[in-house]
């Protein structure tokens, strides 16, 4: 969806017409679900967070500044929703659920069965380590590695200066490395 | 860590967030520092593994739009329902008091209306009391 089309849809939504919200929801639900799943670790809570975020986004649309991009604003709302859910007793990062959902990309270049098993095991260990490092470290790693956002986008979503992103990423990666060492994983 | 390359610069280099000049300077430092090379290799390997991970997103369960739309449309539905019910109730009261029907007919109609309201209120009250004392009410299904 082009930025002009997106802006026009938002303008209509700001007027209160929810029919024009559908293309926006459909455009952002997959990346949104990836982010929520990465932060919450299970599909049920992730979908719950996503639904609440879309509703909250529409309800606060009147305050949205049309000169800003919609994506970071929505992901910011979603991230706050995930954090609220993690803080409440309703949800917590559930590794068990996440483990079952690990799968290899179809285009994985390493096709040997032993290598695939090794890689799958490495990913399981990584998730175990991700669970240990805490929400703040995990969220920035999810935004960077699973979502592939640039530093500017991450800064907008996390509401931090762009210069802080590299520092936060460094601490998150170092925490992940230490968590892996605690598990007994030699990396790389 | 090398004196010339900070942790933050290393991260920006790893994430391809540096300009050509900064990249060249960092690459020179990496080439001359075993420690930096090792650190970069560790972070690069972690990054690669994280990036090749894919989460199962529940298959084709349909768009979340329908659930969102149901919720967005609900307030409008309630407004229409309440406004319509109030109009009918006002008209009913008007007809009730201005109708030339017999008194027993009015009393019977009034009893039916009040009876329905009492039954509804008692069901709501009962459900509320059960909810208040339910020990599992905070457990998510």
């Amino acid at each position: 969806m082009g930025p002009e089309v997106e802006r026009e849809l938002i303008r209509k939504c700001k007027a209160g017409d929810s029919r024009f919200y559908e293309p926006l929801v459909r455009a952002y639900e997959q990346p949104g679900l990836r982010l929520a799943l990465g932060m919450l670790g299970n599909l049920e809570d992730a979908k719950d967070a996503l639904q609440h975020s879309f509703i909250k986004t529409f309800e606060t649309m009147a305050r949205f500044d049309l000169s800003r991009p919609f994506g970071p604003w929505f992901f910011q709302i979603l991230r706050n929703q995930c954090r609220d859910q993690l803080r409440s007793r309703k949800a917590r990062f559930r590794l068990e659920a996440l483990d079952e959902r690990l799968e290899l990309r179809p285009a994985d270049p390493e096709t040997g069965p032993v290598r695939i098993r090794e890689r799958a095991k490495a990913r399981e260990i990584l998730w175990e380590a991700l669970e240990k490092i805490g929400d703040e470290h995990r969220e920035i790693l999810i935004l960077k590695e699973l979502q592939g956002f640039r530093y500017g986008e991450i800064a907008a979503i996390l509401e931090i200066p762009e210069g802080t992103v590299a520092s936060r990423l460094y601490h998150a990666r170092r925490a992940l490395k230490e968590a892996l060492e605690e598990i007994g994983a030699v990396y790389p | 860590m090398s004196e010339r390359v900070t942790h933050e610069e290393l991260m920006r280099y790893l994430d391809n967030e540096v300009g050509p000049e900064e990249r060249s300077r960092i690459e020179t430092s990496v080439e001359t520092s075993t420690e930096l090379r090792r650190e970069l290799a560790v972070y690069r390997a972690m990054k690669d593994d994280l990036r090749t991970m894919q989460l199962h997103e529940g298959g084709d369960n349909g768009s979340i739009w329908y659930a969102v739309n149901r919720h967005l449309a609900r307030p409008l539905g309630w407004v229409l329902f309440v406004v319509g019910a109030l109009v009918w109730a006002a008209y009913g009261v008007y007809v009730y008091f201005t109708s030339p029907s017999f008194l027993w007919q009015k009393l019977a109609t009034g009893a039916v209306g009040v009876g329905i309201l009492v039954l509804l209120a008692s069901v709501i009250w009962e459900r509320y009391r059960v909810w208040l004392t339910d020990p599992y009410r905070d457990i998510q299904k």
Side-chain angles (χ1 to χ4, degrees):
Chain A
M1 185 189 302
E4 277 308 312
V5 176
E6 193 172 277
R7 205 167 294 134
E8 193 50 37
L9 288 169
I10 294 168
R11 201 170 282 130
K12 303 268 190 194
C13 290
K14 276 166 86 81
D17 196 337
S18 64
R19 286 175 305 165
F20 294 94
Y21 195 39
E22 183 175 357
L24 289 169
V25 170
R26 288 186 185 275
Y28 284 93
E29 67 180 326
Q30 282 309 314
L33 188 59
R34 256 198 312 277
L35 173 61
L37 204 46
M39 282 185 73
L40 297 170
N42 70 88
L43 194 61
E44 196 185 326
D45 288 336
K47 282 191 165 180
D48 197 34
L50 190 63
Q51 189 183 324
H52 276 94
S53 302
F54 276 125
I55 292 165
K56 210 174 277 180
T57 302
F58 186 82
E59 285 171 352
T60 52
M61 196 78 93
R63 293 204 300 268
F64 178 68
D65 178 3
L66 274 168
S67 63
R68 289 172 59 200
F70 177 75
W73 186 62
F74 168 68
F75 289 121
Q76 193 181 317
I77 291 171
L78 178 59
R79 172 250 185 182
N80 289 339
Q81 177 66 34
C82 290
R83 288 185 70 122
D84 285 349
Q85 281 189 216
L86 283 169
R87 267 196 293 269
S88 78
R89 54 193 168 149
K90 283 185 180 170
R92 64 183 186 85
F93 189 80
R94 292 209 301 258
L95 177 68
E96 299 84 9
L98 202 54
D99 278 349
E100 292 163 13
R101 301 182 193 290
L102 289 173
E103 60 177 29
L104 295 171
R105 283 185 174 173
D108 200 317
E110 294 166 350
T111 51
V114 176
R115 189 67 187 131
I116 284 176
R117 257 201 313 278
E118 282 173 2
R119 302 292 286 182
K121 182 70 189 161
R123 287 172 192 135
E124 278 180 36
I125 291 169
L126 256 179
W127 274 116
E128 203 181 324
L130 275 172
E131 190 197 21
K132 286 178 184 290
I133 62 174
D135 303 339
E136 278 211 357
H137 289 327
R138 190 167 58 246
E139 76 178 358
I140 198 162
L141 286 173
I142 299 290
L143 289 169
K144 181 67 212 148
E145 310 299 12
L146 264 74
Q147 295 284 63
F149 285 130
R150 307 286 300 176
Y151 279 20
E153 293 169 311
I154 295 174
I157 294 166
L158 298 183
E159 297 170 271
I160 55 175
E162 196 172 329
T164 313
V165 175
S167 163
R168 286 271 304 268
L169 269 169
Y170 169 72
H171 290 294
R173 281 170 173 151
R174 200 178 63 173
L176 184 62
K177 183 171 163 270
E178 284 168 4
L180 284 163
E181 284 166 359
E182 267 178 41
I183 295 168
V186 181
Y187 228 90
Chain B
M1 172 58 70
S2 161
E3 283 178 13
R4 295 175 61 195
V5 179
T6 65
H7 294 306
E8 288 75 17
E9 285 171 333
L10 193 67
M11 293 300 109
R12 284 203 299 274
Y13 173 73
L14 181 69
D15 294 323
N16 203 20
E17 295 266 356
V18 289
E21 277 180 29
E22 199 179 359
R23 168 175 298 281
S24 161
R25 183 177 63 79
I26 294 170
E27 276 170 355
T28 308
S29 296
V30 169
E31 277 168 23
T32 56
S33 164
T34 317
E35 192 191 344
L36 259 183
R37 265 204 308 280
R38 198 184 315 124
E39 195 171 1
L40 191 62
V42 169
Y43 291 136
R44 194 165 272 158
M46 283 195 327
K47 185 179 175 69
D48 288 346
D49 272 346
L50 280 169
R51 286 172 74 96
T52 53
M53 243 184 234
Q54 195 177 41
L55 299 170
H56 191 276
E57 288 156 18
D60 186 23
N61 287 343
S63 173
I64 204 164
W65 162 248
Y66 302 105
V68 173
N69 191 39
R70 266 198 304 277
H71 189 97
L72 294 178
R74 203 174 290 163
L76 178 67
W78 275 110
V79 168
L80 290 174
F81 175 77
V82 169
V83 169
L86 284 174
V87 169
W88 274 110
Y91 178 68
V93 169
Y94 169 77
V95 169
Y96 185 85
F97 286 108
T98 57
S99 151
S101 307
F102 294 114
L103 181 64
W104 68 268
Q105 287 175 322
K106 287 189 177 183
L107 286 175
T109 309
V112 168
V114 172
I116 288 172
L117 286 177
V118 168
L119 285 174
L120 187 67
S122 72
V123 168
I124 291 171
W125 174 243
E126 192 59 33
R127 292 295 295 268
Y128 177 67
R129 279 185 60 195
V130 169
W131 179 81
L132 275 182
T133 53
D134 181 7
Y136 304 110
R137 69 180 178 189
D138 290 329
I139 294 175
Q140 225 181 4
K141 288 172 189 164

